[in-house]
Every structure is written in structure tokens, then in C-alpha cells.
């Protein structure tokens, strides 16, 4: 087995990408993890692993999570890492981790979560809402002055990658569009299926579920509005900047739950008639978790949903992000018979075991 190193953009808080990195470490347990900055309190699952940081770890702690402030410095920090001891370097990246350098003859596999979205696919959205609070007006002025330089640096980093592995068809298309690179393999992010295999998934089902961080692009407002107008029970899990607006627009059939555990959400999905996935995502692990709970999905027909919901046995698509389109999809779902075991079988295609097997085979080639 070749000597492997893992590289990740930053480890400051837990999310789907960080859980994917943990699964990749299970595939290669002897591989150290290199990252620009590491906050053990924000990522407790990594505390006992061999995590190695760059010189950016020495900046003040309150600045480490403001990753948008340091793109060029972070790329330089990754380039300064000495990875000459490794035969294969796997970068898990949506930003600058792919800038690492490997020795001649070594492989650099980039497991690409997306080409850097705030330079490329979502530049216009990011320019409108940079996320810097009171500094947003200044950032809107400065960003167009620097984006050309940032894009050129990102393209240079991409040229050092031996092979790109995208997480979905949508990301494969972005890699071709922005980096001019073809991709041979898609390896979907892993879903931890063990907690779903123990669930009772064939109980009577009623009502709908929506969940996720309540920010504008998630479009949870579509689910709230549709169920309010149809007077259908909907449980919305989570919170975020949009929470108060969603509560204000919701009718009596809509319930909000903040702070629910993963187990609580999984139980709710085993009893729900349908799960709303109204946003465009690069992949979207949560839709697979719904299937693993035997729950069909109502999804916007773009992005990662097209990779997961490949037939009408798993869910219903709507083509426009409008309340009318979502309501029509809800009615279609209510008139369609779904088999929970078939849904769960589809979710098994995205299991952690499958992910680990595919990556080991790729590295072993």
C-alpha cells in the first residue's frame, strides 16, 4: 500500500465535509491529516488523530474561522508543506488545500467538494452577501478588484492536481467548466448507515419534514409556504438567520423544533410521508439520510439531487423554485406509492463502506 497523506482546507467546525474526511481517514488510518488551521474544540472528533497544521495556526484564534480573509496566504501555507515523503496525497477541498505540492512521480488526488465557489459558480451570490456584516459594503467594492488574481491562483493550484474526483455530476461539470479538466470517477460522499439500519421504517406515515440551516439558499420557505397553503403537517428542524421570518409566515400546521438530536430527526423521518429538499446542493447527504429512513424526497431538479433520486421510486422532482411548483410535487407524492425498503436499499449505495472501498481501489491502482 502506498504511503498516503490527507489534506483539508481548515478544521474549525464539524459538518458534512468534516465527516467525509473522517470516513476517508478510516480508509487510510495511518495517514496524517494536514490542514491550514485546527480548532480541537470545534472539531472534537479529530482530537485524537494525527492533525498537522500550517503556520497559519499561529494567527489569533478569533481570526482562524474567518477563512475568507486569507485565501492567498492559505494557498501559500499549503504550498509550504513538505509532503515529499508520501506516494499519494489526497486533498479534500473546496478552497486552497489543492495548492499543496507533491514530489515528482507522486499522485495528488483532489476529492473536489466544488471549485472554489466564491470565485466561480457562486461569485455573484457571494458578492451580494459576503457574510462580513457591517463590512459588506466595503467587501462588495474590493472583491471585483481582487477576484481576477484569486482566480488565477486557483487555476494554478488546479494544475498541480494529478486527478480530480468529484462528489457529484454537478461538480464534475464545474471542474470541466472552470478548471478545464476531465474527471474519470465520481465518488459520492459517505452516509453513516448503521444508525438507520436499526430503525423501524415501515410504520404508518403522516406529515412532512424539512431540516437544515435556515439560510436563504436552502429555500425552506418553499416547504413552509406550500404546507401552510395546503394545510398539511410539517415539522421544520434547525435554526438560522431565516428562522424568525419562517416562523412568521408559517400557518398552524407547521411546527418548528430547535436543538433536536440526530436520533430525533431520524425518528421523525421514519414517520414522515415526505422530506423536502428544495435547494440546489453540490450533493446533499441529508436527502440520502431521508431515504435511509424510508422517507421519499421532494426535491428541486438540480445539483446533487439528480445523482441520488434517479427514478420515481425514490421521490418527486419539481422544476421551479416556486410555491406552486412545490405544491404540485406534494400532490404527486401523495398519489404515489413508495416502498420504504426500496428507498433504504437506494441509500445503501452511498454507505461509508462503499465510499471506503472505492477510495482504496482508486489509490491502489
Amino acid at each position: 500500500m502506498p504511503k498516503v497523506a490527507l489534506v483539508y482546507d481548515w478544521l474549525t467546525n464539524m459538518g458534512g465535509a468534516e465527516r467525509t474526511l473522517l470516513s476517508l481517514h478510516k480508509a487510510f488510518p495511518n495517514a496524517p491529516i494536514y490542514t491550514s488551521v485546527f480548532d480541537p474544540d470545534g472539531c472534537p472528533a479529530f482530537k485524537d488523530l494525527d492533525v498537522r497544521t500550517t503556520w497559519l495556526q499561529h494567527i489569533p484564534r478569533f481570526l482562524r474561522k474567518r477563512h475568507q480573509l486569507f485565501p492567498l496566504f492559505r494557498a501559500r501555507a499549503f504550498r509550504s508543506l513538505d509532503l515529499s515523503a508520501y506516494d499519494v496525497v489526497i486533498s479534500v477541498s473546496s478552497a486552497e488545500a489543492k495548492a499543496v505540492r507533491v514530489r515528482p512521480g507522486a499522485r495528488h488526488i483532489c476529492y473536489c467538494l466544488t471549485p472554489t465557489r466564491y470565485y466561480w459558480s457562486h461569485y455573484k451570490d457571494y458578492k451580494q452577501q459576503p457574510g462580513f456584516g457591517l463590512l459588506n459594503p466595503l467587501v462588495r467594492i474590493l472583491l471585483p478588484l481582487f477576484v481576477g488574481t484569486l482566480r488565477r491562483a486557483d487555476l494554478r493550484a488546479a494544475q498541480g492536481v494529478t486527478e480530480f474526483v468529484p462528489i457529484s455530476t454537478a461538480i464534475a461539470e464545474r471542474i470541466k467548466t472552470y478548471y478545464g479538466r476531465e474527471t474519470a470517477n465520481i465518488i459520492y460522499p459517505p452516509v453513516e448507515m448503521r444508525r438507520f439500519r436499526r430503525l423501524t421504517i415501515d410504520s404508518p406515515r403522516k406529515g412532512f419534514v424539512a431540516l437544515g440551516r435556515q439560510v436563504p439558499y436552502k429555500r425552506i420557505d418553499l416547504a413552509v409556504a406550500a404546507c401552510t397553503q395546503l394545510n398539511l403537517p410539517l415539522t421544520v428542524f434547525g435554526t438560522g438567520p431565516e428562522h424568525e421570518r419562517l416562523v412568521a409566515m408559517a400557518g398552524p400546521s407547521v411546527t418548528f423544533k430547535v436543538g433536536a438530536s440526530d436520533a430525533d430527526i431520524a425518528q421523525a423521518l421514519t414517520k414522515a410521508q415526505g422530506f423536502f429538499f428544495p435547494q440546489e446542493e453540490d450533493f446533499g447527504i441529508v436527502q440520502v439520510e431521508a431515504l435511509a429512513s424510508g422517507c421519499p424526497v421532494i426535491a428541486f431538479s438540480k445539483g446533487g439531487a439528480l445523482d441520488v433520486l434517479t427514478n420515481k421510486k425514490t421521490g418527486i422532482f419539481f422544476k421551479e423554485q416556486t410555491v406552486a411548483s412545490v405544491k404540485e410535487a406534494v400532490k404527486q407524492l401523495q398519489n404515489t406509492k413508495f416502498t420504504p425498503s426500496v428507498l433504504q436499499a437506494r441509500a445503501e449505495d452511498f454507505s461509508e463502506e462503499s465510499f471506503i472501498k472505492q477510495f482504496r481501489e482508486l489509490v491502489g491502482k
Side-chain angles (χ1 to χ4, degrees):
M1 176 65 71
K3 193 173 182 182
V4 177
L6 306 177
V7 187
Y8 189 67
D9 294 313
W10 51 79
L11 281 171
T12 55
N13 57 276
M14 289 300 297
E18 287 73 23
R19 286 189 285 272
T20 295
L21 179 62
L22 285 173
S23 296
L24 196 55
H25 188 265
K26 289 181 183 178
F28 307 102
N30 295 322
I33 299 171
Y34 291 85
T35 190
S36 59
V37 293
F38 176 39
D39 179 3
D41 293 333
C43 292
F46 291 86
K47 279 186 176 180
D48 296 327
L49 302 183
D50 183 3
V51 177
R52 306 177 187 183
T53 58
T54 69
W55 48 263
L56 283 173
Q57 185 71 9
H58 301 295
I59 66 175
R61 184 174 180 179
F62 74 93
L63 287 174
R64 292 177 199 164
K65 291 187 178 183
R66 305 301 298 184
H67 55 84
Q68 304 99 320
L69 292 172
F70 309 108
L72 293 177
F73 288 113
R74 189 164 46 250
R76 184 176 298 176
F78 277 120
R79 287 198 300 272
S80 71
L81 291 172
D82 181 6
L83 302 178
S84 59
Y86 302 101
D87 305 302
V88 179
V89 174
I90 305 173
S91 60
V92 181
S93 182
S94 62
E96 290 81 28
K98 61 181 174 291
V100 293
R101 294 171 174 171
V102 301
R103 63 171 171 76
R107 293 169 70 191
H108 175 187
I109 301 170
C110 178
Y111 188 49
C112 188
L113 309 177
T114 181
T116 313
R117 63 175 62 246
Y118 34 88
Y119 307 157
W120 305 108
S121 59
H122 291 71
Y123 168 67
K124 292 181 180 179
D125 296 336
Y126 182 71
K127 183 181 173 185
Q128 289 179 345
Q129 295 291 337
F132 286 91
L134 294 176
L135 295 177
N136 280 351
L138 178 62
V139 174
R140 291 188 188 103
I141 295 172
L142 295 177
L143 184 59
L145 302 179
F146 291 97
V147 71
T149 299
L150 295 169
R151 285 174 175 171
R152 286 190 291 273
D154 199 47
L155 282 170
R156 283 197 300 273
Q159 302 317 306
V161 174
T162 310
E163 54 206 289
F164 278 97
V165 178
I167 65 170
S168 67
T169 302
I171 300 308
E173 292 170 353
R174 287 185 203 168
I175 292 169
K176 183 176 182 179
T177 298
Y178 301 120
Y179 295 155
R181 298 286 297 274
E182 298 288 344
T183 55
N185 301 288
I186 294 175
I187 298 180
Y188 298 113
V191 177
E192 204 287 289
M193 289 291 297
R194 281 173 292 184
R195 62 191 174 101
F196 296 102
R197 291 169 186 150
R198 297 190 295 266
L199 296 174
T200 300
I201 62 172
D202 54 0
S203 58
R205 293 178 176 269
K206 181 181 179 181
F208 296 83
V209 167
L211 66 92
R213 181 162 169 75
Q214 292 164 11
V215 293
Y217 95 91
K218 295 284 189 180
R219 298 311 311 267
I220 294 174
D221 60 303
L222 294 174
V224 172
C227 287
T228 294
Q229 293 181 23
L230 294 170
N231 195 31
L232 292 172
L234 168 68
T235 304
V236 182
F237 291 93
T239 188
E242 290 270 283
H243 184 74
E244 296 303 325
R245 185 177 80 88
L246 294 172
V247 171
M249 67 182 289
S253 67
V254 180
T255 303
F256 292 84
K257 292 190 177 182
V258 177
S261 67
D262 288 344
D264 292 336
I265 294 170
Q267 283 293 337
L269 287 168
T270 64
K271 299 173 183 177
Q273 187 177 2
F275 170 71
F276 286 103
F277 191 69
Q279 70 269 34
E280 179 184 355
E281 292 281 12
D282 301 333
F283 177 68
I285 287 176
V286 66
Q287 60 178 326
V288 181
E289 292 179 339
L291 296 180
S293 304
C295 183
V297 180
I298 299 171
F300 181 44
S301 59
K302 280 191 176 182
L306 297 174
D307 289 73
V308 176
L309 310 174
T310 52
N311 57 59
K312 292 184 178 180
K313 295 180 180 180
T314 51
I316 301 293
F317 281 119
F318 59 93
K319 294 184 178 181
E320 298 177 352
Q321 287 179 309
T322 64
V323 176
S325 188
V326 173
K327 287 167 63 177
E328 181 58 34
V330 170
K331 293 174 183 177
Q332 289 183 44
L333 183 137
Q334 290 178 314
N335 292 320
T336 305
K337 181 176 174 56
F338 294 95
T339 305
S341 60
V342 171
L343 302 178
Q344 194 168 58
R346 175 57 178 157
E348 287 285 354
D349 294 335
F350 304 94
S351 68
E352 185 180 58
E353 296 91 334
S354 176
F355 174 84
I356 289 172
K357 180 174 182 289
Q358 290 178 78
F359 248 106
R360 284 177 173 168
E361 289 176 349
L362 176 65
V363 169
K365 286 183 179 178

